[in-house]
Amino acid sequence: MPKMKTKRGAAKRFKLTANGKFKRGKAYSNHILTKKTRKRKRNLRDSDLVDKRDERQIRRLLPYAGV
């Protein structure tokens, strides 16, 4: 069986943590920042974890994550 290809877009967006969960960046932080509050922009900087319900699909996109 041939090697599976990693979806490169997903590889750029998700990183595996030491506990086996996926880290992701938050959306809505690129443009039209003038109307967003300082607090909101600061909170968008932090990374977040992928929801448990979406992890199965991410693992399919990244077949060699955590190998």
Side-chain angles (χ1 to χ4, degrees), residues 2-55:
K3 288 193 278 187
M4 295 171 69
K5 285 195 173 180
T6 296
K7 297 288 186 230
R8 298 310 297 160
K12 293 167 190 175
R13 286 171 172 82
F14 304 106
K15 300 283 176 242
L16 197 66
T17 65
N19 291 330
K21 296 178 181 181
F22 284 99
K23 215 167 73 159
R24 65 170 179 85
K26 291 182 182 172
Y28 307 109
S29 61
N30 277 328
H31 64 121
I32 315 177
L33 297 172
T34 50
K35 63 173 77 170
K36 294 172 188 158
T37 64
R38 189 182 303 169
K39 179 181 178 180
R40 183 173 165 194
K41 289 186 280 191
R42 186 172 59 241
N43 288 333
L44 287 171
R45 272 185 245 154
D46 303 332
S47 57
D48 210 356
L49 292 176
V50 170
D51 196 85
K52 195 167 170 54
R53 290 167 284 200
D54 299 322
E55 273 192 22

